[in-house]
C-alpha cells in the first residue's frame, strides 16, 4: 500500500482526484438534464429535500469519524476496522431514524409524498456508512484512480437506470432508485478494488483518543452543511417541493461552474499559500494571481448563464422548467461572490486567522435565514435575492479584513483584476443587447448558439484590450482610469 515514488504518486493522485471530481460533475449534470425532460420540478424537489438528510449524515457524521484517522501519521488496518465498525453502527441507527421519522418530516414540509422518498433514500445512508472506511483507506494510500473509476461507473449505471424508470412513468421514485443504485454500486466496486475485509472492532481507547477531533470536524461539518445547503432547506420549508425543484435546477446550473473551476483553483491555492508562509508580498502575488485566473474563468460563464437563462433553460431542460430562469440569474451573482469569499477563507486559514471565516460564515447564514423568512412571501425569486443579499452584505467585510491583513491596496487589486472584470461587464451588456435585438421567432437553441459565439469573440477581445491598456500606462492609478475612459470613447464611436 505504500508509495514507492511519493512525487509520482502525488502527481498521479492529483490528476485522478481532478478526474474524479470532473467526472462526477459532468455525468451527474448530464443525467440530471435527461431526467428533467421526463420528470416535473416536484419530483426533483422531493429528492432534493431527502438528499439534504443524506448530505448531513455524510458531512457531519461519517466524515467526522473518518477524517481524524485519515490525518493520522501511521494508520493501520485495525484503525480502519474501527472506523468501519463505528460508521456501520451509526449508519444503521441513522437509516432507521430516517425511515421511521419520514412521516413527521413529510408533515413538516407539507408534502405527504415525501414520506416514501425518505424511506427509500434511507438505504443510501447505510451504504454511505458502510463505504466510508474503504474511502478513507483509499484516500490515505493515494489510490484515487480506484475512486475515480468507482464514481464513473456508479453514476453512469445509476443514471441509466433512473432514466429508464423515469421514461416508464415512475416519477420521483425513479430518482430514489437512481440514487440507491449509485450508492450501492459504489460500495460494491470499492470493496472489490480494495481487496480488504474489515473486522468488527469496538475500542473505547480509540474512541477517547479521537473524540475531540471527531467533535471538531463534526461542528465544522455542521457549519459547512448549513452554508452550502441551508438555502435549499429554507426553500423547502417555506415554499415546498415544487419551488425546491426549480431552485435545485438553478443551483445545479450555476454551481457546476463554481464546483469545477473554483474548487480546482482552491486546490492550487493551498500549496501556493503554504509555500509563501509569512511573506506578505508572496501571499499578495499568489492571492491576486489565483483570484484573477478564477474570475477570468468563472465570471464570463456566470454572466452568460445569467443573461441567457431563459433560452438556456428551455433548450436544455424543457419548457416546464422556465420558471427557474430568474433564479438562475440571481444565483449566478451569488456564486460569483462565493468564489471570491471561499478563496478569502482559504487565505485566512493559511495565515492562521481561523476564527474569521467561521464568524463570517455564521453571520452570512444568519442574515440569509432572517432575510429568507421576510422575503419568502415574494416567492422563489424573492428568497433567491435574499440569499444574494446576505453574501453581498458579508463580502465587503471579508474583503476589507483580508486587504488589511495582506496590506493589499485597491490599486493593486484593480491592476490585477481589471481585465476579467471589465471583460465580464462588457460581455454582460453585449449579451443583453444581443438578446433584446434578436427576433422573437428565433428558436432557443439558436439564441444560445449565437450567444456562445458572441461570448467567445467579445470576452477574450475585451480582456486583451483592457490588459494591454493597463500595461501601456505602467499601472498608474490615473492611467488606469484614463485607459477605461479611452475604451469607453472608443466603443462610443
Amino acid at each position: 500500500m505504500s508509495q514507492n515514488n511519493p512525487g509520482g504518486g502525488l502527481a498521479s493522485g492529483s490528476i485522478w482526484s481532478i478526474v474524479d471530481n470532473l467526472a462526477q460533475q459532468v455525468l451527474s449534470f448530464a443525467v440530471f438534464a435527461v431526467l428533467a425532460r421526463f420528470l416535473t420540478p416536484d419530483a426533483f424537489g422531493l429528492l432534493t429535500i431527502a438528499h439534504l438528510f443524506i448530505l448531513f449524515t455524510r458531512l457531519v457524521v461519517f466524515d467526522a469519524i473518518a477524517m481524524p484517522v485519515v490525518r493520522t501519521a501511521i494508520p493501520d488496518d485495525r484503525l480502519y476496522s474501527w472506523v468501519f465498525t463505528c460508521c456501520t453502527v451509526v449508519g444503521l441507527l441513522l437509516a432507521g431514524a430516517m425511515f421511521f421519522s419520514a412521516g413527521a418530516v413529510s408533515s413538516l414540509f407539507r408534502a405527504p409524498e415525501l414520506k416514501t422518498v425518505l424511506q427509500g433514500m434511507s438505504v443510501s445512508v447505510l451504504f454511505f456508512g458502510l463505504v466510508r472506511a474503504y474511502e478513507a483507506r483509499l484516500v490515505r494510500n493515494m489510490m484515487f484512480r480506484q475512486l475515480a473509476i468507482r464514481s464513473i461507473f456508479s453514476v453512469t449505471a445509476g443514471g441509466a437506470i433512473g432514466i429508464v424508470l423515469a421514461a416508464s412513468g415512475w416519477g420521483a421514485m425513479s430518482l430514489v432508485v437512481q440514487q440507491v443504485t449509485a450508492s450501492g454500486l459504489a460500495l460494491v466496486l470499492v470493496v472489490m478494488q480494495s481487496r480488504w475485509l474489515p473486522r468488527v472492532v469496538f475500542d473505547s481507547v480509540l474512541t477517547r483518543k479521537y473524540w475531540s477531533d471527531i467533535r471538531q470536524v463534526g461542528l465544522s461539518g455542521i457549519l459547512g452543511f448549513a452554508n452550502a445547503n441551508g438555502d435549499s432547506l429554507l426553500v423547502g420549508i417555506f415554499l415546498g417541493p415544487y419551488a425546491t425543484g426549480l431552485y435545485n435546477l438553478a443551483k445545479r446550473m450555476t454551481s457546476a461552474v463554481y464546483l469545477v473551476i473554483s474548487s480546482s483553483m482552491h486546490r492550487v491555492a493551498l500549496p501556493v499559500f503554504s509555500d509563501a508562509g509569512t511573506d506578505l508580498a508572496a501571499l499578495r502575488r499568489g492571492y491576486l494571481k489565483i483570484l484573477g485566473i478564477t474570475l477570468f474563468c468563472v465570471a464570463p460563464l456566470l454572466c452568460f448563464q445569467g443573461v441567457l437563462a431563459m433560452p438556456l433553460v428551455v433548450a436544455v431542460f424543457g419548457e416546464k422548467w422556465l420558471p427557474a430562469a430568474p433564479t438562475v440569474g440571481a444565483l449566478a451573482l451569488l456564486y460569483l461572490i462565493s468564489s471570491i469569499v471561499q478563496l478569502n477563507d482559504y487565505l485566512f486559514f493559511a495565515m492562521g486567522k481561523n476564527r474569521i471565516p467561521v464568524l463570517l460564515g455564521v453571520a452570512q447564514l444568519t442574515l440569509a435565514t432572517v432575510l429568507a423568512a421576510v422575503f419568502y412571501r415574494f416567492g422563489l425569486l424573492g428568497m433567491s435575492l435574499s440569499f444574494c443579499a446576505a453574501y453581498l452584505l458579508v463580502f465587503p467585510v471579508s474583503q476589507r479584513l483580508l486587504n488589511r491583513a495582506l496590506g493589499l491596496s485597491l490599486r493593486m487589486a484593480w491592476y490585477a483584476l481589471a481585465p476579467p472584470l471589465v471583460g465580464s461587464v462588457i460581455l454582460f451588456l453585449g449579451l443583453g443587447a444581443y438578446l433584446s435585438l434578436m427576433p422573437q421567432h428565433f428558436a432557443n437553441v439558436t439564441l444560445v448558439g449565437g450567444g456562445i459565439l458572441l461570448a467567445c469573440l467579445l470576452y477574450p477581445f475585451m480582456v486583451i484590450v483592457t490588459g494591454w491598456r493597463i500595461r501601456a500606462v505602467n499601472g498608474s492609478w490615473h492611467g488606469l482610469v484614463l485607459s477605461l475612459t479611452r475604451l469607453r470613447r472608443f466603443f462610443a464611436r
Side-chain angles (χ1 to χ4, degrees):
M1 293 184 300
S2 61
Q3 298 293 335
N4 295 326
N5 184 354
L10 180 60
S12 176
S14 300
I15 293 172
W16 279 109
S17 178
I18 294 172
V19 169
D20 186 11
N21 181 47
L22 184 61
Q24 287 192 59
Q25 295 300 324
V26 172
L27 290 173
S28 296
F29 190 83
V31 170
F32 176 81
V34 176
L35 286 170
R37 290 285 180 173
F38 296 104
L39 302 175
T40 64
D42 299 83
F44 281 97
L46 293 171
L47 182 76
T48 300
I49 295 171
H51 202 249
L52 291 175
F53 292 90
I54 305 292
L55 285 174
F56 184 85
T57 61
R58 295 182 67 182
L59 296 174
V60 178
V61 182
F62 299 136
D63 281 359
I65 296 173
M67 286 303 292
V69 176
V70 175
R71 298 171 184 170
T72 300
I74 309 177
D76 54 27
D77 283 348
R78 174 177 170 78
L79 199 53
Y80 290 121
S81 292
W82 174 76
V83 172
F84 174 83
T85 303
C86 292
C87 288
T88 300
V89 172
V90 173
L92 283 169
L93 294 174
L94 291 174
M98 184 172 176
F99 184 90
F100 291 109
S101 66
V105 174
S106 63
S107 298
L108 173 66
F109 286 89
R110 302 180 301 279
E113 59 273 26
L114 179 61
K115 178 179 178 180
T116 306
V117 174
L118 286 170
Q119 289 177 335
M121 288 290 287
S122 65
V123 180
S124 289
V125 175
L126 177 58
F127 287 159
F128 285 125
L130 290 169
V131 80
R132 192 63 187 91
Y134 286 94
E135 290 176 338
R137 190 171 180 272
L138 292 174
V139 169
R140 189 64 179 81
N141 290 287
M142 300 291 291
M143 299 169 71
F144 293 102
R145 182 175 66 89
Q146 287 83 346
L147 292 172
I149 293 172
R150 179 275 308 260
S151 298
I152 293 171
F153 276 97
S154 62
V155 173
T156 302
I161 292 174
I163 290 171
V164 171
L165 294 179
S168 302
W170 279 50
M173 290 308 297
S174 63
L175 299 174
V176 174
V177 175
Q178 174 209 357
Q179 296 292 317
V180 172
T181 300
S183 58
L185 183 58
L187 171 62
V188 173
L189 289 173
V190 167
V191 171
M192 293 174 61
Q193 292 170 324
S194 297
R195 299 178 182 177
W196 170 71
L197 291 177
R199 296 179 290 111
V200 176
V201 175
F202 292 99
D203 193 325
S204 59
V205 175
L206 290 176
T207 303
R208 287 193 299 268
K209 178 181 179 180
Y210 290 107
W211 176 248
S212 178
D213 289 337
I214 290 173
R215 183 176 59 185
Q216 183 176 354
V217 174
L219 292 174
S220 299
I222 292 174
L223 181 60
F225 170 83
N227 279 320
N229 303 285
D231 51 353
S232 298
L233 183 61
L234 289 170
V235 172
I237 292 174
F238 285 115
L239 300 180
Y242 177 76
T244 305
L246 295 175
Y247 186 82
N248 179 53
L249 179 136
K251 187 173 181 177
R252 292 194 71 154
M253 284 183 61
T254 50
S255 66
V257 174
Y258 168 80
L259 290 172
V260 172
I261 298 175
S262 295
S263 62
S264 298
M265 292 310 302
H266 292 164
R267 288 193 184 97
V268 177
L270 286 175
V272 170
F273 295 157
S274 299
D275 291 342
T278 58
D279 186 347
L280 290 182
L283 283 172
R284 281 197 300 269
R285 288 194 299 271
Y287 171 75
L288 289 175
K289 183 176 293 186
I290 293 172
L291 181 57
I293 295 173
T294 301
L295 289 179
F296 175 80
C297 298
V298 169
L301 292 173
L302 291 176
C303 284
F304 181 86
Q305 287 186 337
V307 177
L308 296 180
M310 293 181 67
L312 189 61
V313 167
V314 175
V316 177
F317 303 104
E319 191 79 27
K320 60 189 171 187
W321 293 95
L322 187 58
T327 304
V328 172
L331 294 188
L333 174 62
L334 186 150
Y335 278 105
L336 179 61
I337 300 170
S338 179
S339 64
I340 303 174
V341 171
Q342 288 295 320
L343 183 61
N344 290 356
D345 290 347
Y346 270 78
L347 187 51
F348 281 130
F349 284 124
M351 299 175 69
K353 301 179 182 295
N354 298 344
R355 294 184 60 189
I356 293 177
V358 175
L359 293 175
L360 291 176
V362 171
Q364 184 268 326
L365 179 62
T366 304
L367 281 170
T369 304
V370 171
L371 292 173
V374 173
F375 291 102
Y376 80 92
R377 298 174 181 83
F378 297 96
L380 183 58
L381 182 60
M383 289 197 72
S384 303
L385 291 175
S386 69
F387 301 144
C388 291
Y391 267 94
L392 286 170
L393 291 171
V394 173
F395 169 65
V397 179
S398 170
Q399 198 62 50
R400 185 175 181 82
L401 291 173
L402 183 72
N403 291 350
R404 183 183 301 172
L406 284 179
L408 182 64
S409 67
L410 184 61
R411 176 180 175 275
M412 296 177 189
W414 173 251
Y415 183 78
L417 305 178
L421 291 177
V422 173
S424 298
V425 171
I426 298 299
L427 176 62
F428 181 85
L429 297 175
L431 288 174
Y434 159 79
L435 192 61
S436 63
L437 294 175
M438 286 297 100
Q440 295 293 324
H441 65 272
F442 269 33
N444 291 297
V445 175
T446 304
L447 290 174
V448 173
I452 293 174
L453 179 61
L454 177 63
C456 290
L457 295 174
L458 182 60
Y459 180 71
F461 173 75
M462 287 307 308
V463 168
I464 292 171
V465 171
T466 307
W468 173 75
R469 289 304 305 165
I470 289 175
R471 288 192 299 272
V473 296
N474 297 320
S476 66
W477 177 256
H478 174 72
L480 292 175
V481 176
L482 183 61
S483 69
L484 287 182
T485 304
R486 289 173 177 172
L487 279 174
R488 182 178 59 81
R489 291 174 181 172
F490 172 79
F491 284 102
R493 292 174 185 176

